[in-house]
Structure formats: structure tokens, C-alpha cells
């Protein structure tokens, strides 16, 4: 940026063009406004609209999650003020669960503060004999793997700049364990597209899935995807499903039974 302030009366529909030119080279694809507007005022409105009702279903794709992450990521909200709001409007297990997620975010921030750039490399050895390749395969980059569920997760990432936590977990496991790609490539893809894409939550979540920051790799099977997506893809899917097996079988295939 040249330091020229944006005119206060610039209409929203001109923003992508003006900002797109100012930030040329720092992003890929067409410049467009996010589905949720940024700014402290919008962030506070989103926070105050959040009652947390139904958060017990947070693991389901239809579950009511806050979608506050992009405001937290860009400093438009603080973790403590979100926690204070949750304590005042939420109750019982739903409140505890929500506070637990905020605690993960706080923990990852503290790990980043302590470890610095080390979080961008394996913090520990993987807990299985992994041979990861460094580059993102083209079919993943273009969202054309031929697996309807995976391509939908990638569409959410690239079109909306947001994925549900379970979609992030599934996709990370698919890329690292099924495709044998180093988690750093997935981290970079998320950093490029997610509106909340950061260093701490992003790198450490990928490492948690990969087992370089946890004691075993995270993976799922078809039943898990079917259940938590409420049957969104599996019922009509005709692709050869790499996830369709009991956990014990997949564990043997992916990790040599050593996970
Ligand atoms: C591979 C992978 C990459 C991820 N990359 C990012 C990232 O770049 N930026 C990011 O903010 N989150 C990341 N997450 C964590 C999580 O998926 C998102 O924070 C969450 O989905 C955001 O949606 P929400 O605001 O509706 O969350 P809610 O469920 O409403 O939770 C409220 C807040 O708690 C925090 N939180 C929730 N879940 C987690 C979690 N699993 N780990 C850490 N903090 C959490 C976030 O700040 C979130 O906004 C990643 C998770 C995975 C598995």
C-alpha cells in the first residue's frame, strides 16, 4: 500500500477494485468482499448476536457455531471479551464446550509465543513411518479430486474462505494420511484462503492431525463423515470411497497399524 487512506465515502461495491489494485501480488484469484463484513462494529454486532444456543451440536456441519474466528484472527475481537460474553449468555455444558474451544485458541497462541517459527516445522517426529511429499497435488489445488465430499470442502475453502472445524479435520487427514502430503502444504493452502487463516491455530491444528504435535494421527472413516455431515454426500456418492472401511482396517492401511 502507498499509505493513501481510503476515501471515507467509498461505496462497498468499489472496495474489491480499489483494494484489489492496492494489494496486487499479495493474493490470488479475483478480489471480492467476504461473506461477512470486517471491522470492529461488525465484529461486536456478530458477538452480541451470538447466543450459543445449539452449540452442543458443534461437531455437526449443521451445528450452530459462532463463526467469530475471522474477527478473532484479525484482532477485531479479543478472546477474553468473547469468553466474557459467553459466560453471560451461555449455560451449562454448551458454555463449557465453547470456553474449551477458546482455551485451545489461547493455548495455541501461547505455544506460538514460546516456540516462534519452530511451529512451522515438525515439533515432534510423526508417530508413524510417514513419507510425506512437499507439494500440493494439482487436483487438490483445483478442487477436482473426484471425491464429492473432498471437492465440497475445497469449494468451501476457496469460495467462502471458511470451513467448519470438522471439514478442516477431515481435509487435513485426507491430505496428510491418504495423499501423503506434508502438512505444511495444507497449512499454506489454508493460510492463502481462510479468512481466519493464521499461524498458531492453523499450523498447530495441522500438526495435531499429522501427529507431530499429538500422540497419534487423527483420521476418520466414511461413517464419521456421513454422520457429522448428516448424510450430505455419502448416500448419493458413486466415487470409489477411500474412507469406506472400519477404523482398524484404515489404521493398518494408513499407518501400518502403528498409530
Ligand atoms: C487443520 C485445521 C486448521 C485450522 N486453521 C485455523 C486457522 O487458521 N484459524 C483459526 O482461527 N482456526 C483454525 N482452526 C480451528 C477451528 O477449525 C476454527 O477456529 C473454527 O472452525 C472457527 O469457527 P468458529 O469461529 O465458528 O468456531 P467456534 O466453534 O464458534 O469456536 C469459537 C472460537 O474458538 C476457537 N476455536 C474453535 N475451535 C478451535 C480449534 N479446534 N482449535 C483452536 N481454536 C478453536 C476459535 O477462535 C473460534 O472462533 C483449524 C482447525 C484445523 C483442524
Amino acid at each position: 500500500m502507498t499509505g493513501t487512506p481510503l476515501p471515507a465515502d467509498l461505496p462497498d461495491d468499489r472496495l474489491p477494485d480499489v483494494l484489489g489494485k492496492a494489494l496486487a501480488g499479495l493474493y490470488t484469484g479475483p478480489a471480492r468482499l467476504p461473506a461477512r463484513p470486517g471491522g470492529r462494529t461488525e465484529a461486536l454486532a456478530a458477538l452480541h448476536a451470538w447466543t450459543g444456543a445449539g452449540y452442543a451440536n458443534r461437531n455437526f456441519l449443521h451445528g450452530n457455531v459462532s463463526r467469530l474466528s475471522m474477527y478473532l484472527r484479525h484482532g477485531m475481537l479479543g478472546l477474553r471479551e468473547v469468553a466474557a460474553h459467553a459466560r453471560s449468555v451461555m449455560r451449562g455444558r454448551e458454555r463449557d464446550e465453547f470456553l474449551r474451544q477458546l482455551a485451545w485458541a489461547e493455548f495455541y497462541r501461547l505455544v506460538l509465543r514460546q516456540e516462534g517459527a519452530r511451529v512451522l516445522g515438525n515439533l515432534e517426529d510423526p508417530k508413524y513411518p510417514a513419507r510425506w511429499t512437499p507439494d500440493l497435488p494439482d487436483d487438490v489445488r483445483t478442487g477436482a479430486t473426484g471425491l464429492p465430499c473432498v471437492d465440497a470442502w475445497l469449494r468451501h475453502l476457496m469460495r467462502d474462505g471458511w470451513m467448519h472445524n470438522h471439514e478442516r479435520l477431515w481435509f487435513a487427514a485426507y491430505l496428510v494420511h491418504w495423499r501423503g502430503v506434508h502438512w505444511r502444504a495444507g497449512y499454506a493452502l489454508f493460510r492463502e484462503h481462510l479468512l481466519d487463516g493464521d499461524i498458531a491455530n492453523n499450523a498447530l491444528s495441522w500438526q495435531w492431525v499429522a501427529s507431530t504435535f499429538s500422540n497419534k494421527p487423527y483420521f476418520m472413516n466414511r461413517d464419521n463423515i456421513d454422520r457429522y455431515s448428516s448424510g450430505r454426500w455419502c448416500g448419493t456418492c458413486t466415487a470409489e470411497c477411500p474412507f469406506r472401511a472400519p477404523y482398524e482396517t484404515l489404521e493398518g492401511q494408513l499407518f501400518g497399524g502403528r498409530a
Side-chain angles (χ1 to χ4, degrees):
M1 299 275 278
T2 59
T4 313
L6 287 176
D9 56 354
L10 189 70
D12 278 359
D13 60 0
R14 292 265 302 117
L15 268 175
D17 184 43
V18 173
L19 284 177
K21 285 192 182 115
L23 300 172
L26 296 176
Y27 64 92
T28 56
R32 60 196 151 77
L33 291 180
R36 277 194 147 184
R40 171 74 175 159
T41 307
E42 308 290 352
L44 280 176
L47 178 64
H48 291 136
W50 168 247
T51 65
Y55 193 70
N57 285 335
R58 64 175 278 271
N59 282 325
F60 289 86
L61 298 193
H62 67 256
N64 186 25
V65 291
S66 72
R67 301 189 69 148
L68 293 173
S69 53
M70 75 172 203
Y71 298 120
L72 285 161
R73 154 69 178 87
H74 294 282
M76 295 159 197
L77 292 176
L79 284 170
R80 279 175 183 72
E81 82 180 316
V82 174
H85 174 77
R87 283 197 191 91
S88 71
V89 299
M90 293 175 79
R91 295 281 170 270
R93 284 186 54 198
E94 290 195 332
R95 180 187 58 187
D96 294 348
E97 187 56 30
F98 187 73
L99 293 175
R100 204 164 70 87
Q101 300 314 314
L102 295 176
W104 273 108
E106 174 76 354
F107 170 62
Y108 285 157
R109 283 183 187 183
L110 291 172
V111 175
L112 174 62
R113 189 184 300 170
Q114 178 173 298
E115 301 292 332
R118 263 178 38 84
V119 305
L120 297 177
N122 292 353
L123 285 172
E124 296 169 7
D125 288 334
K127 309 304 181 299
Y128 68 101
R131 278 185 296 278
W132 296 323
T133 55
D135 298 324
L136 200 66
D138 280 346
D139 63 322
V140 174
R141 176 160 291 287
T142 54
T145 66
L147 296 172
C149 56
V150 176
D151 292 347
W153 307 332
L154 283 165
R155 216 164 33 248
H156 296 161
L157 172 68
M158 294 179 199
R159 185 194 58 197
D160 308 333
W162 194 83
M163 292 164 99
H164 186 279
N165 182 58
H166 231 142
E167 294 182 310
R168 300 182 199 213
L169 285 167
W170 293 330
F171 175 72
Y174 167 73
L175 189 70
V176 175
H177 306 316
W178 272 269
R179 300 297 298 267
V181 176
H182 197 284
W183 62 264
R184 270 295 298 268
Y187 161 85
L189 183 74
F190 275 19
R191 274 281 270 168
E192 184 179 340
H193 290 284
L194 282 177
L195 290 169
D196 64 25
D198 67 359
I199 297 176
N201 286 331
N202 193 7
L204 293 166
S205 297
W206 276 93
Q207 299 221 44
W208 186 85
V209 169
S211 78
T212 54
F213 188 54
S214 59
N215 63 2
K216 58 179 191 286
Y218 166 87
F219 67 110
M220 72 294 179
N221 68 6
R222 179 187 183 278
D223 290 349
N224 181 275
I225 296 171
D226 198 34
R227 169 159 192 237
Y228 288 103
S229 69
S230 310
R232 195 175 296 186
W233 300 288
C234 302
T236 53
C237 182
T238 55
E240 192 165 328
C241 179
F243 314 121
R244 186 180 204 137
Y247 275 107
E248 307 74 56
T249 309
L250 290 175
E251 191 168 36
Q253 285 170 4
L254 299 172
F255 314 116
R258 267 173 274 188

